[in-house]
Amino acid sequence: MGLLEQVVDPFPPAPMAGRRRIAVRSLQRTFDDGKNVVEALGPLDLDVADGEFLSIVGPSGCGKSTMLRVMAGLVGPSSGDVAISRNDPDRTLMAMVFQDHSIYPWKTVEANVRFGLDLNKRVPKARRPAIVASYLDKLGLRAFAKAYPATLSGGMRQRVAIARALAVEPEILLMDEPFAALDAQLRTILQDELVDLWETDRRTVVFITHSIEEAIFLSDRVLVMSARPGQICSEHVVPFGRPRSHDVRGDAAFAALHQEIWEVLRDEVDKGLAAQFE
């Protein structure tokens, strides 16, 4: 199923806080190289509400990234369905931020951020410079507009990747461990910046991470995936309101939720390790 086919929601309504934007039903993904068959994912069911910031954690190799790529239409499912509701046919439906930033080394920061807009013929050329300038400002990149990625730190390059995704103003933002390669201090700073950016427009976000702390701080809801083949094994509603500051990390409820999620995740990590030695 390609991305252009994932625009109608055929499933009955699910009880949730807001209107559903993404519905995943009986999703499975198998990889077969002719010698080995790997059941990477599923069967998996989940719903994402309009304007929700949803994070997903799980053991390494459980299919988190595969699931996100199926949502984006970059990988087809072996079976099952993904349905995505579109609000505005004139807007970009979704954009994705990868762990390795995936920006073009031969383009300047400004040109990288503008890249998606140049591909979108629905955005008038006259508007593009202002949009690019806006997101350069929001991500602290204005002074580096004419710089090339090789001259930037890893954190700055990741800011470029996020700015590029946001510049096309997608209805849905998919983020695959975007801060995983950063040091702890920079990761915390970018988490704070992402929360601030998200709170200005409340677009739908699906965020993959290995960090329970990151998932709780950013999200409205956290899902835990099982060891491979990945399935949703628990759901945790984050009790902190919006706007949200880094101070919530010191809240006793934050620590309690972290422990609750870790107990589920630890069991799945143990199962995954045990399976390697069977």
Side-chain angles (χ1 to χ4, degrees):
M1 179 187 300
L3 176 59
L4 294 179
E5 298 173 279
Q6 300 179 18
V7 294
V8 177
D9 186 347
F11 303 121
M16 52 201 317
R19 185 176 69 85
R20 183 171 57 201
R21 291 303 305 274
I22 303 173
V24 178
R25 294 293 180 272
S26 303
L27 179 65
Q28 291 184 280
R29 187 62 168 91
T30 300
F31 293 96
D32 185 353
D33 63 4
K35 296 180 180 179
N36 299 292
V37 176
V38 177
E39 295 182 2
L41 184 66
L44 184 147
D45 298 271
L46 68 87
D47 293 297
V48 185
D50 189 22
E52 180 179 21
F53 198 123
L54 175 71
S55 285
I56 300 174
V57 300
S60 295
C62 72
K64 300 185 297 296
S65 295
T66 298
M67 180 196 66
L68 210 64
R69 283 164 169 75
V70 173
M71 285 184 181
L74 301 176
V75 175
S78 299
S79 62
D81 295 284
V82 177
I84 298 177
S85 298
R86 183 190 287 273
N87 280 344
D88 184 348
D90 292 326
R91 284 183 63 187
T92 299
L93 179 60
M94 62 176 63
M96 188 163 178
V97 179
F98 298 91
Q99 179 179 342
D100 59 358
H101 55 74
S102 301
I103 57 178
Y104 298 109
W106 61 88
K107 290 180 178 290
T108 64
V109 167
E110 184 178 52
N112 266 289
V113 174
R114 193 180 61 241
F115 180 75
L117 292 172
D118 289 340
L119 296 178
N120 187 348
K121 305 306 181 185
R122 291 172 295 192
V123 179
K125 287 185 178 181
R127 285 193 59 223
R128 295 174 193 175
I131 295 172
V132 171
S134 171
Y135 283 101
L136 289 175
D137 284 340
K138 288 178 180 179
L139 274 297
L141 295 167
R142 170 75 75 146
F144 304 91
K146 303 302 182 183
Y148 287 88
T151 67
L152 305 177
S153 67
M156 295 299 286
R157 290 195 293 270
Q158 196 65 325
R159 290 187 191 201
V160 175
I162 293 170
R164 182 178 64 184
L166 291 175
V168 298
E169 300 183 338
E171 295 188 22
I172 299 168
L173 184 61
L174 307 178
M175 307 187 79
D176 188 8
E177 299 189 61
F179 307 144
L182 307 180
D183 65 68
Q185 293 84 0
L186 183 56
R187 186 169 185 159
T188 299
I189 289 170
L190 289 184
Q191 288 169 2
D192 289 342
E193 290 179 350
L194 179 59
V195 164
D196 289 342
L197 285 168
W198 179 84
E199 288 176 350
T200 63
D201 59 28
R202 304 293 179 102
R203 79 186 69 224
T204 305
V205 177
V206 182
F207 190 97
I208 302 297
T209 179
H210 275 101
S211 169
I212 297 173
E213 179 181 347
E214 182 171 76
I216 296 172
F217 175 66
L218 294 173
S219 308
D220 301 308
R221 189 165 53 113
V222 179
L223 302 181
V224 180
M225 283 181 64
S226 69
R228 192 175 68 201
Q231 300 174 329
I232 303 301
C233 59
S234 68
E235 173 186 4
H236 308 265
V237 176
V238 178
F240 307 110
R242 309 279 189 175
R244 188 174 298 172
S245 75
H246 62 83
D247 293 340
V248 301
R249 293 185 175 98
D251 194 298
F254 192 102
L257 182 56
H258 189 289
Q259 182 62 28
E260 177 184 312
I261 295 172
W262 169 238
E263 288 176 359
V264 178
L265 182 57
R266 180 179 56 194
D267 288 344
E268 295 305 321
V269 170
D270 288 342
K271 290 176 186 177
L273 292 172
Q276 295 179 18
F277 298 100
E278 290 181 352

